[in-house]
Amino acid sequence: MNHPLPLSVSGPWLEAPATQQIFALLEQAGHQIYAVGGCVRNAILGTAVSDIDLSTSARPDRVLALARAAGVKAVPTGIEHGTLTLVIGGTGYEITTWRRDVETDGRRAVVAFSERIEEDAMRRDFTMNALYADARGQIIDPLGCGIADARARHIRFVGEPSERIREDYLRILRFFRFYAHYGDPAEGPDPEGLAACAELAGGIELLARERIGSEMKKLLAAPDPAPALAAMQASGVLAHALPGADAKAMALLVHFEAGRRPDALRRLAVLGGADPATGLRLSRQEAREYALIRDHIGSQLSPAALAVKIGASAGASVLLARAALFETPPPGEAEAGLVRGAQAQFPVRSTDLPGLSGPALGARLKALEQAWLSSDLRLSRAELLALSVPGPGG
C-alpha cells in the first residue's frame, strides 16, 4: 500500500519552549531558520531524536548579536565555519549559517556562507540528511528526493557519490554506518554509492584514526551491523578501516545476542584484526574491556571461572564470541555458570599458608587459584591445601 509522503513532523523535540525560543529569535529578526538533518530524518522514520541541529540564513555575527541581546548564552564552537551553540536551560543547540564548499581536501573543507538553502543542502552527505523543518514542523526538501529516500530507507549520496567522498573520505564509513542504522538490508546498499566507496577506499588512510574509530564504534552499535560489515568487507573498505578484520562471524553473533543490548566492543573482538587500541584509538577503558574479551576467547576456562577471572559481563561476551567464531551452540545453560562464578569466592587465604611469605606466598596463592579455576571452582579449601602445587622454582 502506498502512503502519502509526510509533509510535516512533530514531537517534543520541536515543540519544546527552548527550541521554539530559538526559532522565534531568528524569525522575528527577519531571518530564515530550520531544524536540519538527523532530527528531521529521525522524526520521519519514527525513531528517537537526541540532538537538534539548526540552520539559518543569518550570518554568525548576526546570530551572536541576537542571542546576546536576548540574554541567551552563545558559544562560538565553530564560528569560522558558521557554527554557534546556543545554550538554554543547560542544553546546547547548534545553529549553523547556510554554507557552500569552496575548497576540500578529503578531510576538511573551506566554506563560504550562502543565501540559498539549496546550496546548503547540496554540501550535505546523504539525501535523507538534507531535510529541513520550520518551527511548525513543515518539511523543506530542497533536493526533492530526501523524504522519499528516508521513507524507503535508501542511503544515497547527494549528487555524485565520488565527489561527496573526495570532499571528506570519512563519508565512506558514514555510508556504511548509516546503512547499518537506517538502511533496508533487504535492498542492499545503494549500488552507485557502494561502487564509489570501493573505488576510493584508500582515502580512509588519510583520516585520523580517532575519526575512524568513532565511526566504527557507532556502526558496531547498530542493532544488526552484519549486512553493512559484509558489504564493507566485500568492497575492500573494511581492510582499510581495520586491517585483518573478518566479518564472517558477525551475523551469527548478532543472532546469539538476541534480546541483549548491542555491545560494540564485543563485536569488535569478534571482528579481530589489528589492535584497535592503537588502530582505532580506543580509550583506555575501552581498550581494557576489549582486551578482556579478546584475550579469553581461546581460553579453556569454564563459564564460572570466567566470571571469577574477568567478571560476569565480560564473561558473557566471551561465551557469545566463542560461539560465533567457532560455530558452537550459544551459551544457553552455560550462563548459569556465570552466575555461580559471580557469587563465588576463592576459599584459600594467606593465613592458610603460615609457612610462606613474600613472593613465595603470592606465587602459591596464584597457583592454587589457577587450580581452583581449572576445576570449575569445584575444589574445596581442604582439597586445595592438600594439593602439591609447584612453588616459584618448582
Side-chain angles (χ1 to χ4, degrees), residues 71 108 244 301 345 382:
R108 60 186 67 85
L301 292 177
Q345 287 188 336

Side-chain angles (χ1 to χ4, degrees), residues 256 319 323 327-332:
F256 288 159
L319 295 181
E327 299 184 0
T328 57

Side-chain angles (χ1 to χ4, degrees), residues 163-244:
E163 290 181 11
R164 294 289 81 75
I165 290 171
R166 287 190 177 97
E167 290 167 354
D168 185 354
Y169 288 107
L170 191 70
R171 286 173 173 169
I172 295 175
L173 299 181
R174 285 174 61 82
F175 175 77
F176 293 100
R177 193 246 291 183
F178 272 74
Y179 176 61
H181 282 274
Y182 305 112
D184 181 353
E187 294 295 326
D190 175 70
E192 291 184 8
L194 183 62
C197 289
E199 178 187 355
L200 300 171
I204 292 173
E205 296 177 18
L206 299 174
L207 300 170
R209 303 308 297 181
E210 290 85 354
R211 297 184 77 198
I212 297 173
S214 176
E215 281 299 320
M216 287 299 296
K217 286 185 289 184
K218 291 175 183 177
L219 188 159
L220 289 168
D224 182 4
L229 288 165
M232 287 179 73
Q233 185 159 349
S235 63
V237 169
L238 185 61
H240 287 281
L242 187 60

Side-chain angles (χ1 to χ4, degrees), residues 81 100-112 123 166-168:
H81 291 104
R100 58 185 174 85
D101 289 338
V102 174
E103 181 181 340
T104 60
D105 64 2
R107 291 177 294 178
R108 60 186 67 85
V110 176
V111 300
R123 72 175 301 276
R166 287 190 177 97
E167 290 167 354
D168 185 354

Side-chain angles (χ1 to χ4, degrees), residues 84-100:
L84 294 155
T85 299
L86 304 187
V87 182
I88 299 177
T91 300
Y93 300 82
E94 277 199 356
I95 180 167
T96 302
T97 300
W98 294 343
R99 303 173 294 179
R100 58 185 174 85

Side-chain angles (χ1 to χ4, degrees), residues 11-23 52 88 93 135:
W13 65 274
L14 180 63
E15 298 154 9
T19 309
Q20 290 295 315
Q21 180 182 347
I22 297 174
F23 274 109
I52 305 173
I88 299 177
Y93 300 82

Side-chain angles (χ1 to χ4, degrees), residues 249-306:
M250 192 57 60
L252 191 55
L253 175 64
V254 172
H255 174 70
F256 288 159
E257 288 177 336
R260 298 174 183 269
R261 179 181 61 83
D263 188 315
L265 295 177
R266 177 199 302 138
R267 293 168 171 183
L268 189 58
V270 167
L271 277 181
D275 178 13
T278 54
L280 299 181
R281 297 291 193 273
L282 298 182
S283 70
R284 289 184 180 179
Q285 179 61 32
E286 289 170 336
R288 282 194 292 267
E289 292 178 13
Y290 168 85
L292 278 180
I293 300 168
R294 188 69 193 178
D295 292 350
H296 288 86
I297 289 175
S299 78
Q300 300 301 311
L301 292 177
S302 68
L306 277 173

